Amino acid sequence: MMDQLSQVFAALADPTRRDIVARLTTADATVSELAAPYDVSIQAVSKHLKVLEGAGLVSRGKEAQRRPVHLEAEVFDLMNKWIERYQRQAEQRYQRLDAVLDELNDRSSTPAQKGHAS
């Protein structure tokens, strides 16, 4: 079984699902409202929503006849933590590279400066 982070990234691998998530950042919407801009059936959008729901990205409300789809924004915290971890590691590597380059630059500029001082 996939962990939640894998499910989230797998769900967001599809451009239609990414678009649905983007649209839900502004407001909850019904399946019909979400299906409107696409040239696909409501059933096809429902399948996309089931994948997003399985990954914990959306939930469906139960307001009488209306069942709005709601974006579960806290799932993005999980993604952000994962991304930030690797971003910090990459930044540390760049800082080490900068230090090495500065040291090499200092070494190469020192003999040239000595030559000019004579």
Side-chain angles (χ1 to χ4, degrees), residues 55-66:
L57 285 161
V58 301
S59 61
R60 296 187 199 206
K62 296 177 182 168
E63 299 174 6
Q65 299 298 324
R66 194 171 180 265

Side-chain angles (χ1 to χ4, degrees), residues 14-23 31-42 44-45 48:
D14 183 274
T16 300
R17 290 193 287 264
R18 285 193 306 270
D19 187 59
I20 289 170
V21 167
R23 290 174 51 219
V31 177
S32 298
E33 291 166 343
L34 290 170
Y38 306 113
D39 191 23
V40 297
S41 66
I42 288 178
V45 171
H48 284 298

Side-chain angles (χ1 to χ4, degrees), residues 47-98:
K47 286 181 182 181
H48 284 298
L49 290 172
K50 284 181 185 177
V51 173
L52 292 170
E53 198 170 9
L57 285 161
V58 301
S59 61
R60 296 187 199 206
K62 296 177 182 168
E63 299 174 6
Q65 299 298 324
R66 194 171 180 265
R67 289 184 41 107
V69 179
H70 173 76
L71 182 66
E72 297 296 337
E74 58 275 353
V75 174
F76 291 100
D77 292 338
L78 174 69
M79 294 170 54
N80 282 335
K81 286 178 187 174
W82 184 85
I83 291 167
E84 287 171 356
R85 179 175 137 199
Y86 293 103
Q87 183 177 16
R88 279 191 305 275
Q89 290 176 356
E91 286 172 1
Q92 290 169 353
R93 283 196 318 268
Y94 287 126
Q95 289 171 356
R96 289 192 302 268
L97 178 60
D98 284 343

